[in-house]
Amino acid sequence: MEMIATTGPSRLPDNQRVVITGVGLTAPNGNSLAELRNSLLQGRSGVREYEIRYFGKTLAGVCEFEALRYQARKEIRRGTRAGSVGIYSANEAVKDAGLDWPNIDKSRIGVYVGVTEHGNVETENEIHELKNYNYDTSFWSHHHNPRTVANNPAGEVALNMGITGPHYTIGAACAAGNAGLIQGSQMLRLNECDLAICGGVSESIHTFGIFASFHSQGALAEHADPCRASRPFDLHRNGIVVAEGGCLFVAERLDDAKRRGARIYGELVGYAMNTDATDFVLPNPERQAECMELALKRAGLVAEQIDIVSTHATGTASGDSQECNALRRVFGGSQRTFFNNTKSFIGHSMGAAGALELAGNLGAFEDGVCHPTINVDDLDPECALDGLVLNQPREIGKATYILNNSFGMLGINSVAIIKRY
């Protein structure tokens, strides 16, 4: 459903306006929105030394959340890491939203979870175990199929919480966190559900393949100090720090949120998704700019009205500079837009990245502070942007609009714009 500038989301009826009323998350540097926000303002990284079989020692963003808060040990063993991340995040989001959960019609709840990939971890684990039995497939786990089906993370959330409405995962590479939120919003506007649990999750650090692949590509970050390894925009950046994590939002129509007196974090007023159609991995700044411009158009905004742009920048030489080219095209004339990056704190949480990065910036609506990009000692001239906030938080006054960029392999781009309510 396209929102055009002449009508603008704020002029839509309340039953077509979508707001965020709950946030649940686990990140390498926090297991709640408050913890994540504090870490971002205090410069606290969540990257550490990490070792995984076959590949060996590396660096990663590792989450430490209380999985047993919402699952029994048997359920954790039977399920997946992505499922556990999703279950924790979804339950925390529902609690944060202040919902009267026992009395809600579970058939009117939809679960829309973005993922970069799913099933690699479980397949690698099964093959590793099978080796101990001389590759006799009679020892292959009967749990393998439900663990690896594409709808798994969303399905595990639905099973855990007794949700009987629609559930599915959205494969959108590193654009998936935004894509989950966008899908949830669309389903609310279509009246397919009354509540959407939506966002993204990632279990990526538990597969050796992702580390080996980025290493083969020359795109895996290395640094003597793990906390300084993820360094988007720095001239000496040398790649991605792989991270796990999850962030799921409770989204609902504004009239429903008003009716129950919900706290509102912000309103989704614009979004867009498009495709580069030019390369498997190299980004296309023209298509990225077009995606941002389309989201602005749908929100009825001009670039100068955006207070904070949460960049996608991953710490690769080509990716960061190409996104900065796109940002200059869209925001080159803006004197009041600030730019930051969350991956410098936690690494690249893949399918969860867009949702976590949006969540980390929501606090600006309350405190008027733009969190920085850390670890920038020598700014790459190709990444120099007016308004780029480096190393220390910046007071920006009242923040009204946040634009959140998330781009992924095979040229998928997503942009979401959130307005202070």
Side-chain angles (χ1 to χ4, degrees), residues 8 120 129 370:
N120 291 349
E129 292 299 319
C370 179

Side-chain angles (χ1 to χ4, degrees), residues 40-228:
L40 297 175
L41 295 181
Q42 295 169 14
R44 186 163 55 246
S45 170
V47 179
R48 65 178 73 173
E49 292 181 345
Y50 183 73
E51 186 169 357
I52 188 166
R53 63 169 172 256
Y54 303 133
F55 186 77
K57 294 181 179 179
T58 184
L59 305 172
V62 183
C63 294
E64 292 185 352
F65 63 95
E66 190 182 345
L68 289 172
R69 183 180 297 180
Y70 299 111
Q71 290 181 282
R73 293 186 188 278
K74 180 179 179 180
E75 293 170 327
I76 292 173
R77 288 195 302 269
R78 178 177 181 172
T80 67
R81 178 66 171 181
S84 284
V85 169
I87 288 166
Y88 178 88
S89 299
N91 278 277
E92 289 288 290
V94 165
K95 182 170 67 174
D96 183 59
L99 294 164
D100 182 15
W101 189 250
N103 294 313
I104 290 176
D105 181 357
K106 306 303 189 299
S107 71
R108 294 293 298 167
I109 301 173
V111 184
Y112 312 104
V113 179
V115 295
T116 296
E117 46 74 31
H118 182 69
N120 291 349
V121 173
E122 290 71 32
T123 302
E124 287 181 7
N125 288 344
E126 287 298 323
I127 292 173
H128 178 73
E129 292 299 319
L130 201 63
K131 181 176 64 175
N132 298 325
Y133 300 97
N134 197 31
Y135 297 102
D136 180 352
T137 56
S138 65
F139 290 95
W140 191 265
S141 173
H142 65 285
H143 296 312
H144 179 80
N145 287 350
R147 283 173 176 164
T148 58
V149 290
N151 63 308
N152 173 279
E156 285 201 48
V157 169
L159 282 168
N160 175 269
M161 302 181 75
I163 295 169
T164 58
H167 85 266
Y168 45 85
T169 60
I170 300 158
C174 301
N178 273 351
L181 177 60
I182 291 168
Q183 181 67 33
S185 172
Q186 291 172 331
M187 295 296 274
L188 286 164
R189 289 194 174 110
L190 290 170
N191 199 32
E192 293 291 328
C193 60
D194 295 327
L195 288 171
I197 297 175
C198 51
V201 302
S202 172
E203 60 181 2
S204 294
I205 68 167
H206 300 280
T207 165
F208 71 86
I210 194 168
F211 293 98
S213 182
F214 279 127
H215 181 72
S216 297
Q217 189 183 344
L220 190 66
E222 297 178 347
H223 199 282
D225 180 355
C227 293
R228 298 185 61 76

